[in-house]
Amino acid sequence: MTIMKTRITELLGIQYPIIEGGMQWVGRAQLAAAVSNAGALGMVTARTQPTPDDLRREIERTRELTCKPFGVNLTLSLTANDVNYDGWIDAIIQGDVRIVETAGNNPQPVIARLKAHGIKVIHKCTSVRHALSAERYGADVISIDGFEAGGHCGEDDVPALIMIPALGKVLKIPFIASGGIANGRSMAAALALGADGVNMGTRFMLTWESAIHNDIKAALLAATERDTTLIKRTLKRTARFFTNGVSQAIVALEQRPGGATYDDLKHLLSGDRGLAGLESGDITAGLVCASQVIGLVDDIPTCAELVTRMVAECREGLEQALNRFDR
């Protein structure tokens, strides 16, 4: 059995240092279990579920499908400071989940409560300064998003080629590279730059076990690296989505004289609208989160096929780089 050993595999008890990104509407039991069964770390997205009770049931379903470690993503609101997460945290604790990925707003209060129950915390950041804050708050792992990432990619526009080694110079805890990871060669590059593992959202979304409609998968499969759009830049909440009529309409409203407020965009940003598109297959119905890696994806494998292939490609890429150096 092939194994890879990094600080991430040892800390999280997984075979390969590959983690499924926490994806709204996509991170469900079937996909998370398939990723974990492949030797990586699957991730159930908490707030995909309507209520904490629904999350409890989704955790139970995941555990029925895998005996391997998996995590839960809990995204904290970027726009409200008075959201109560107690119910979600209770569901995570009662489900005996041992790994949680936090993202979004200041995670300090949530980290403290999770760690009091022995839960390992991964915090997703988009800058070195935020990563250092999360380290001080007690996070066990940082997931660092480069500018290529889908979803919220920060305001600094720093790509992974710069972000990863910059973080490696100052961070003491393990970290994983997120954004721009699509295959074993990009994984090899991330490891060579100093990361302890990789995080993938869009690539796992385009697998057989992902529950989104096949027409959405086909549209993303046909896309290039130029087919994403940055929205909410004027609101300082920059996020990357697939280029369609909805993302373009948001940008048009932001660019009009006087700009746009969140309320002006709310009908286009609707999560329910995005979910309807993912379920119906209508790529034009709502926002579809996607990284620039869609330009590197050309098939819909099973999670097991993808992870096995990535590990082989990573090893091959590292060996080829060493061989070139030895010449």
Side-chain angles (χ1 to χ4, degrees):
M1 179 177 66
T2 302
I3 61 170
M4 297 182 71
K5 185 177 179 181
T6 73
R7 291 190 295 174
I8 288 294
T9 60
E10 294 186 317
L11 181 68
L12 304 182
I14 55 179
Q15 188 175 348
Y16 307 121
I18 302 170
I19 296 175
E20 175 201 344
M23 295 174 281
Q24 181 76 344
W25 312 130
V26 181
R28 301 177 185 271
Q30 177 179 309
L31 178 59
V35 173
S36 290
N37 285 333
L41 183 74
M43 194 71 65
V44 173
T45 307
R47 298 180 72 187
T48 290
Q49 303 303 318
T51 70
D53 282 338
D54 290 300
L55 175 59
R56 287 185 183 91
R57 287 187 282 271
E58 195 71 6
I59 290 170
E60 290 171 3
R61 278 192 287 271
T62 309
R63 188 156 281 117
E64 290 170 359
L65 296 171
T66 185
C67 61
K68 302 286 187 67
F70 65 91
V72 169
N73 164 277
L74 179 61
T75 297
L76 312 176
S77 175
L78 286 167
T79 57
N81 292 317
D82 58 351
V83 179
N84 188 313
Y85 300 101
D86 287 348
W88 304 99
I89 296 172
D90 287 342
I92 289 166
I93 293 169
Q94 292 165 13
D96 197 29
V97 174
R98 310 313 301 159
I99 303 164
V100 169
E101 177 191 58
T102 54
N105 215 338
N106 181 352
Q108 186 173 15
V110 172
I111 288 177
R113 186 166 175 209
L114 292 169
K115 288 186 67 78
H117 290 269
I119 295 170
K120 297 289 190 298
V121 178
I122 303 167
H123 185 63
K124 179 174 285 191
C125 303
T126 59
S127 71
V128 172
R129 63 188 183 278
H130 293 152
L132 291 172
S133 294
E135 182 180 46
R136 288 195 300 272
Y137 297 154
D140 298 286
V141 178
I142 296 299
S143 177
I144 192 73
D145 273 3
F147 186 53
E148 307 91 333
H152 293 282
C153 51
E155 307 305 314
D156 297 337
D157 299 2
V158 179
L161 197 62
I162 305 300
M163 186 79 80
I164 298 170
L167 186 59
K169 287 171 60 177
V170 296
L171 197 71
K172 297 181 179 65
I173 60 176
F175 71 98
I176 55 176
S178 181
I181 311 297
N183 52 44
R185 290 188 175 273
S186 47
M187 180 179 174
L191 295 177
L193 287 170
D196 298 282
V198 297
N199 176 85
M200 301 194 305
T202 301
R203 189 60 188 98
F204 276 126
M205 183 167 70
L206 297 179
T207 57
W208 187 84
E209 292 90 351
S210 169
I212 67 174
H213 197 283
N214 285 337
D215 288 350
I216 301 293
K217 294 180 185 179
L220 296 180
L221 200 66
T224 75
E225 67 278 2
R226 294 177 289 110
D227 292 322
T228 67
T229 296
L230 295 170
I231 66 170
K232 300 189 290 182
R233 299 225 82 180
T234 60
L235 302 180
K236 303 300 182 185
R237 293 285 184 262
T238 301
R240 187 182 299 281
F241 286 84
F242 181 70
T243 301
N244 63 9
V246 178
S247 59
Q248 290 175 319
I250 291 170
V251 172
L253 288 173
E254 290 187 83
Q255 292 177 343
R256 68 186 180 179
T261 66
Y262 178 82
D263 284 341
D264 294 330
L265 305 177
K266 187 163 56 176
H267 66 292
L268 296 169
L269 297 170
S270 166
D272 289 340
R273 185 170 177 166
L275 175 60
L278 292 178
E279 291 182 339
S280 70
D282 183 357
I283 194 69
T284 67
L287 288 172
V288 178
C289 190
S291 161
Q292 289 179 311
V293 300
I294 54 176
L296 301 177
V297 178
D298 54 15
D299 67 347
I300 307 291
T302 66
C303 291
E305 290 168 343
L306 175 60
V307 170
T308 299
R309 183 170 70 199
M310 280 188 64
V311 171
E313 287 175 350
C314 179
R315 186 181 299 276
E316 179 184 3
L318 291 170
E319 288 175 350
Q320 286 182 353
L322 285 173
N323 289 338
R324 292 190 187 99
F325 181 79
D326 288 342
R327 289 174 192 170

